[in-house]
Amino acid sequence: MNTTPFTPLSFPGKKNSGDSVVNGVDLSVNFAGIKAPNPFWLASAPPTDKAYNVVRAYEAGWGGVVWKTLGEEPPAVNVSSRYSAHYGKNREVIGFNNIELITDRSLAINLQEITQVKKDWPDRALIVSIMVPCNEEAWAYILPLVEATGADGIELNLGCPHGMPERGMGAAVGQNPDLIEKVTYWCKKHYSKPVIVKLTPNITDIRVGAQAALRGGADAVSLINTINSITSIDLDNMVAKPTVGHQSTHGGYCGSAVKPIAMNMVAEIARDPATPTLPISGIGGISTWRDAAEFIALGSGSVQVCTAAMLNGFRIVEEMKDGLSRWMAEKDYNSIEAFSRKAIPQTTDWKHLDINFKTIAKIDQDLCIECGRCYIACEDTSHQSIAKLTEQDGARRYEVIEEECVGCNLCQITCPVENCITMVPQETGQPFLAWDNDPRNPFRVAS
Amino acid sequence: MTHSLDHLPSAKEVGTYDPATLAHNFSDLHPPLTPRQAIIESQRCLYCYDAPCVEACPSDIDIPSFIRQISDSNINGAAQTILEANILGGSCARVCPTEILCERSCVRNHDTECQPVLIGLLQRHATDHMQFDGHPFKRAASTGRHIAVVGAGPAGLSCAHRLAMLGHQVTIFEAEQKPGGLNEYGIARYKMTDDFARKEVEFLLEIGGIDIQYGQRLGDHLTLDTLRQQYDSVFLGLGLGASRALGLTGEDAPGLMPAVDYIKTLRQSDDLGSLAVAKRCIVIGAGNTAIDMATQMARLGATEVTLVYRRGIESMSATGHEQEIAKANGVRMITWAQPDEILLDNQGRVASMRFAKTADQAGRLTTSGETFEITADAIFTAIGQSFEGESLRDTTAAELARDGERIHVDEMFQTSLPNVYAGGDCVKPGQDLTVQAVQHGKLAAHAIHQALAAKQEAA
């Protein structure tokens, strides 16, 4: 009897985790001169604190890692009880808060591990986050040591909002444009590879920090760092979480709740005429491929993830790469660059919006489940534009009163059924008219 | 109560189930939600405006509000929302046919999800876990009025509690030795476990101002005439204590008895193993009592339980959900057949029953002459309830206008006699639901209160 020769099956595993082509789409990026097989990087945070974690992340397929912030000796000391969450009603974590400081391991061990990891994983991006006191000597001391590791670049942690600012570092620097510029300048002077400046969102205008970084010679910016936060109060003991003994302190907020804030800040820099080509590494609540695609569409050249990995493990990157590549294939985008900044031209100031545009809600009666949520939202809090009717058989029927509807979208937002309420643009027969040129605007500019 | 079955073996002797299994067979049919499950389920509620579930609830419970309170971990708030509409919210959570009431109207049933919010189980969660420091409802200042309530079932208890809240003094006259009515004596054991009916009444009585006199049966030593003379108002929540008879020869033979009498014994038993079990039995009827009877007999160890109904499945008053319970317990259902003759053995005990096949001819039930027999050690009848013989026979009670057999009331639950009100199963608009009896009692209490207040103003 003949036996068929056994054909070994091949499994994409460890070996292939760094493939830049997924589902036939090239996900590789060259971010400010730093190359990576995909745009998904782990942000500087607990998941990137040591070689063990970083190697696991690379094995899982992350394209790059920003090593948790190195500082001066002696290393920082952390408290016990470090994280807390802002929960949704179903205990899903909406936002996440931490009071951890920079690395609490010695500089020597970190440098040694970084050197080894970069040697073992040459195809992945490895960036080192640094925070030392605001004087040139401190930076001039640490930068050559980092350069010697062979890492691809550095990220300046000028944003850490808790603990470090009390020592004149982190956000204390990031909130002062002059200091941002000065530190960036020192880094460019004492370090030859790309310098990324990580910006704090705890300011009034994010563009000022990005402009300062550019003046100092930054190769790129990354944002956002975490937002000052208190997530919840233990009402029995009248203390916030995380609780250290019988006290607490504000921490840094991240997770999906901060995504809208981060996206606006990314877009602000991307469309700022002062920083039109400054590469941006987008950070803030990125949990899915779609989040990543949105950040990229607003001008990010790479994205950094932390909370989603902390909540789910490194494996999430597989779905992020798979989902992103399938969507890109569907849209015929053959590289990340092909759709980077694609949403920027359509992101503008309020005054440039078409004041003559009109959209009206439409309720699909076949999909309506008669919950009445749209009705009460509009009736109580908006424009009384939905009528509540009762059919002969007692069924409820909700109908839009078109002449009253201002197209605010509230009914669509409150509707629990997807696609039941759609907003339909109306043919008004009126030309595009920006508020700038509107005769009703007392400060209009003649068109 | 079950002397008619004294010749049959006990559940222990039949030995289908060991004591542990027997106990398990009568534990909670639908286990309660865990706190976590309750939170998750509560999230599914869309907090509808003018919600269809509220419209469907006979006792007007503000369902979206109490579910939102559960989702906010405000269990006492949720319980209070339920109880202020329905003081027997705990038992209704257990016995309500939610599948034809609130849960049927839930908007989550629509195509996108096809699964309602589990309102009944959430209501049970709130009422099971409430922890009040004292009774959650306070009494208004005393009105000096004293009202007689006949029957400590759901209608009477609900009426008494609301009257007490409104500041009246109440005396309840109860025929049995325990309060609760059907909650105590008539509901299947696995629907009302852990002595819940008693605990619920204890909670209800915490309001104060309610005195219950047991062993006081209307028509026995108690007449409506005396009650009308001695009290400012009377509320009749008599229920329907007597079981309808088949009207066949041999109906008093050993082995034949009303299902409600057996269920009453089962509910009060401390030792399930000692209950008489008919290995092969027939249940006649199509309501929830018939289902409860058939299922409980199967769970006690009967091996052949047959439920026979003279019409089709679609006409059964037991809900589809109840029918499924019976089927899951191996109950065989035969439709379109009616009792024709009780067949006895040589000792004069039930041996089998002959049935005549029926058909619906233009709305009229007819028999074809075709018959068949089913062997059985016992026959349980569950073909409806009526007034207990003497209860409405005194001269005053005899004057009560009736709707068919039941007492006629107007929309204010007032009978044809001044100051006499009625509600629950004994009145016409009854659907024979606990939740509706509670609503009748509550609304009647408000009607009584208003009438007394009006009288005072006029005086």
Side-chain angles (χ1 to χ4, degrees):
Chain A
M1 203 168 74
N2 288 330
T3 53
T4 317
F6 179 74
T7 316
L9 295 165
S10 75
F11 292 99
K14 270 188 184 180
K15 249 177 77 184
N16 301 335
S17 68
D19 282 359
S20 57
V21 177
V22 180
N23 295 322
V25 174
D26 183 4
L27 296 180
S28 67
V29 291
N30 180 341
F31 180 79
I34 300 168
K35 288 179 182 155
N38 64 62
F40 297 105
W41 299 358
L42 281 169
S44 166
T48 61
D49 186 35
K50 54 188 185 296
Y52 180 83
N53 305 76
V54 172
V55 167
R56 284 180 69 85
Y58 285 156
E59 282 173 356
W62 290 86
V65 156
V66 184
W67 199 280
K68 185 169 162 101
T69 310
L70 309 186
E72 274 194 326
E73 296 286 273
V77 177
N78 275 302
V79 291
S80 183
S81 183
R82 302 177 188 180
Y83 311 139
S84 64
H86 173 47
Y87 288 108
K89 289 209 162 176
N90 228 340
R91 241 192 104 73
E92 73 277 19
V93 175
I94 295 171
F96 192 85
N97 168 74
N98 87 88
I99 59 167
E100 228 180 77
L101 303 182
I102 63 174
T103 186
D104 50 17
R105 306 187 318 144
S106 83
L107 183 61
I109 287 176
N110 274 311
L111 292 170
Q112 195 186 334
E113 287 186 3
I114 291 166
T115 309
Q116 187 63 44
V117 169
K118 184 63 214 178
K119 202 172 136 200
D120 293 345
W121 298 84
D123 65 321
R124 310 301 172 92
L126 180 52
I127 294 135
V128 179
S129 173
I130 308 173
M131 178 200 292
V132 290
C134 207
N135 60 70
E136 188 170 356
E137 298 72 44
W139 292 92
Y141 171 75
I142 198 167
L143 287 168
L145 299 175
V146 172
E147 179 127 26
T149 63
D152 303 296
I154 58 170
E155 184 182 79
L156 311 189
N157 181 346
L158 306 185
C160 180
H162 47 267
M164 305 316 287
E166 297 165 19
R167 307 174 195 183
M169 290 181 273
V173 177
Q175 287 165 338
N176 182 329
D178 291 342
L179 293 182
I180 295 175
E181 182 180 346
K182 201 183 282 179
V183 172
T184 309
Y185 175 77
W186 294 332
C187 289
K188 286 306 288 180
K189 183 174 163 191
H190 298 284
Y191 183 73
S192 70
K193 289 185 177 176
V195 174
I196 305 167
V197 178
K198 187 168 181 175
L199 301 175
T200 175
N202 299 309
I203 38 76
T204 41
D205 185 348
I206 195 73
R207 293 175 300 186
V208 174
Q211 289 160 7
L214 186 61
R215 281 197 304 274
D219 297 283
V221 289
S222 57
L223 69 151
I224 58 172
N225 206 315
T226 54
I227 304 171
N228 289 332
S229 65
I230 290 176
T231 49
S232 65
I233 301 291
D234 170 350
L235 286 174
D236 293 324
N237 299 300
M238 286 297 173
V239 61
K241 294 174 184 175
T243 309
V244 179
H246 57 276
Q247 298 170 299
S248 189
T249 185
H250 78 263
Y253 196 47
C254 51
S256 45
V258 311
K259 177 190 148 192
I261 299 167
M263 291 224 293
N264 173 56
M265 291 186 166
V266 166
E268 286 289 289
I269 295 170
R271 64 191 193 91
D272 180 2
T275 53
T277 57
L278 184 63
I280 302 167
S281 186
I283 313 170
I286 296 164
S287 315
T288 65
W289 71 262
R290 183 179 289 275
D291 294 337
E294 291 175 14
F295 270 85
I296 294 166
L298 282 175
S300 300
S302 75
V303 293
Q304 296 186 28
V305 177
C306 173
T307 311
M310 289 182 77
L311 296 174
N312 302 292
F314 291 144
R315 60 197 165 144
I316 57 166
V317 74
E318 286 170 36
E319 158 56 16
M320 290 175 138
K321 291 194 291 187
D322 186 70
L324 182 65
S325 57
R326 285 178 197 275
W327 170 78
M328 286 170 64
E330 204 182 294
K331 297 285 181 189
D332 267 340
Y333 293 129
N334 51 23
S335 69
I336 296 294
E337 230 168 39
F339 71 98
S340 181
R341 292 181 181 258
K342 274 257 182 189
I344 286 299
Q346 292 75 249
T347 309
T348 185
D349 293 342
W350 193 97
K351 63 185 175 189
H352 301 311
L353 300 176
D354 181 5
I355 211 88
N356 283 337
F357 173 76
K358 186 166 174 56
T359 187
I360 279 180
K362 184 169 181 295
I363 300 173
D364 182 332
Q365 298 296 341
D366 291 333
L367 289 177
C368 177
I369 61 172
E370 300 163 36
C371 69
R373 291 179 58 86
C374 60
Y375 167 77
I376 197 60
C378 188
E379 191 67 15
D380 275 356
T381 72
S382 279
H383 299 85
Q384 297 77 46
S385 315
I386 295 179
K388 180 180 181 233
L389 311 168
T390 309
E391 307 264 32
Q392 276 185 341
D393 63 358
R396 301 121 195 281
R397 185 182 172 92
Y398 298 95
E399 279 179 8
V400 175
I401 304 166
E402 295 194 357
E403 50 277 21
E404 297 294 332
C405 179
V406 302
C408 74
N409 303 342
L410 179 63
C411 56
Q412 187 189 36
I413 291 166
T414 61
C415 181
V417 181
E418 213 173 356
N419 302 325
C420 175
I421 299 183
T422 43
M423 302 304 298
V424 185
Q426 303 295 300
E427 194 50 67
T428 61
Q430 290 182 297
F432 180 98
L433 178 66
W435 182 242
D436 268 350
N437 313 117
D438 192 312
R440 292 167 294 185
N441 178 359
F443 308 103
R444 71 182 172 277
V445 287
S447 53
Chain B
M1 286 297 274
T2 60
H3 296 311
S4 167
L5 307 183
D6 283 351
H7 61 292
L8 295 178
S10 68
K12 193 176 165 191
E13 285 158 355
V14 167
T16 312
Y17 298 115
D18 60 63
T21 311
L22 208 50
H24 177 76
N25 284 351
F26 287 88
S27 62
D28 246 321
L29 184 65
H30 297 294
L33 298 174
T34 65
R36 186 81 198 106
Q37 286 173 319
I39 292 283
I40 292 170
E41 190 60 23
S42 69
Q43 307 305 326
R44 295 191 59 240
C45 175
L46 289 170
Y47 195 54
C48 294
Y49 178 70
D50 223 350
C53 56
V54 180
E55 261 175 39
C57 176
S59 64
D60 299 332
I61 294 174
D62 185 351
I63 295 163
S65 291
F66 93 69
I67 294 180
R68 194 174 178 84
Q69 287 169 309
I70 291 177
S71 81
D72 279 351
S73 301
N74 180 5
I75 297 297
N76 281 355
Q80 186 134 11
T81 299
I82 294 162
L83 297 170
E84 67 194 12
N86 180 336
I87 194 64
L88 296 175
S91 53
C92 287
R94 289 164 166 77
V95 306
C96 257
T98 51
E99 66 276 11
I100 59 164
L101 299 172
C102 53
E103 290 179 19
R104 182 165 71 183
S105 64
C106 178
V107 301
R108 290 270 193 206
N109 283 309
H110 285 261
D111 296 350
T112 39
E113 293 189 27
C114 309
Q115 173 73 42
V117 175
L118 300 174
I119 299 167
L121 281 170
L122 286 170
Q123 180 166 321
R124 176 165 175 190
H125 180 77
T127 49
D128 276 0
H129 294 275
M130 63 186 185
Q131 281 182 320
F132 290 107
D133 188 11
H135 194 67
F137 301 100
K138 300 285 165 271
R139 294 187 69 189
S142 171
T143 59
R145 305 301 180 127
H146 198 162
I147 292 137
V149 168
V150 180
L157 288 168
S158 165
C159 185
H161 185 269
R162 187 54 58 111
L163 287 170
M165 267 176 78
L166 294 167
H168 305 287
Q169 181 69 29
V170 183
T171 297
I172 305 182
F173 298 91
E174 167 57 43
E176 299 289 342
Q177 295 303 322
K178 286 183 177 180
L182 290 178
N183 280 351
E184 177 62 44
Y185 294 107
I187 303 288
R189 190 172 172 122
Y190 43 71
K191 289 181 188 167
M192 201 74 107
T193 58
D194 200 23
D195 212 4
F196 182 77
R198 181 186 59 78
K199 291 176 186 168
E200 188 176 45
V201 176
E202 272 174 18
F203 161 77
L204 180 149
L205 295 176
E206 282 173 5
I207 185 129
I210 304 172
D211 167 47
I212 307 185
Q213 296 188 13
Y214 297 104
Q216 299 288 318
R217 191 179 298 270
L218 192 66
D220 222 347
H221 301 292
L222 190 68
T223 64
L224 183 55
D225 197 39
T226 1
L227 292 178
R228 276 185 82 202
Q229 286 170 24
Q230 292 176 359
Y231 295 89
D232 295 297
S233 269
V234 180
F235 175 77
L236 299 174
L238 307 175
L240 297 170
S243 299
R244 286 218 180 85
L246 295 168
L248 296 176
T249 318
E251 205 151 346
D252 52 357
L256 192 148
M257 68 180 295
V260 291
D261 293 349
Y262 188 90
I263 293 171
K264 188 172 180 181
T265 305
L266 172 59
R267 280 294 306 275
Q268 300 302 313
S269 173
D270 305 329
D271 177 14
L272 291 168
S274 70
L275 291 166
V277 168
K279 276 172 123 175
R280 296 166 302 180
C281 69
I282 297 168
V283 178
I284 317 279
N288 288 348
T289 302
I291 297 281
D292 283 358
M293 182 67 229
T295 304
Q296 292 188 111
M297 197 39 79
R299 288 190 164 216
L300 278 170
T303 42
E304 281 177 38
V305 182
T306 310
L307 191 146
V308 186
Y309 177 45
R310 61 195 173 130
R311 292 184 182 273
I313 291 279
E314 65 287 348
S315 309
M316 290 180 79
S317 64
T319 64
H321 175 73
E322 292 287 328
Q323 293 174 30
E324 288 306 317
I325 294 172
K327 285 182 200 160
N329 282 278
V331 173
R332 182 169 63 137
M333 293 201 202
I334 295 180
T335 50
W336 298 109
Q338 71 180 29
D340 189 47
E341 190 178 351
I342 301 160
L343 303 167
L344 308 178
D345 63 12
N346 50 20
Q347 290 172 285
R349 297 164 174 166
V350 166
S352 66
M353 183 168 244
R354 181 182 299 130
F355 290 90
K357 289 198 175 178
T358 55
D360 183 353
Q361 287 193 333
R364 269 199 48 176
L365 200 65
T366 58
T367 53
S368 60
E370 203 179 334
T371 63
F372 62 92
E373 285 174 24
I374 300 173
T375 311
D377 310 315
I379 298 167
F380 298 99
T381 55
I383 55 170
Q385 298 294 112
S386 58
F387 283 111
E388 282 185 294
E390 301 299 318
S391 54
L392 298 178
R393 295 263 171 92
D394 73 78
T395 45
T396 309
E399 285 174 36
L400 285 169
R402 308 280 272 267
D403 274 326
E405 193 193 23
R406 304 199 188 196
I407 299 170
H408 171 83
V409 288
D410 63 16
E411 67 279 8
M412 301 298 278
F413 295 90
Q414 177 151 19
T415 67
S416 56
L417 296 176
N419 302 334
V420 180
Y421 296 75
D425 287 356
C426 69
V427 301
K428 178 61 180 174
Q431 278 177 290
D432 299 348
L433 293 176
T434 308
V435 62
Q436 197 176 46
V438 173
Q439 177 77 347
H440 286 180
K442 178 180 80 183
L443 295 179
H446 283 286
I448 291 168
H449 180 73
Q450 276 174 21
L452 290 175
K455 216 182 274 180
Q456 186 151 340
E457 269 175 40

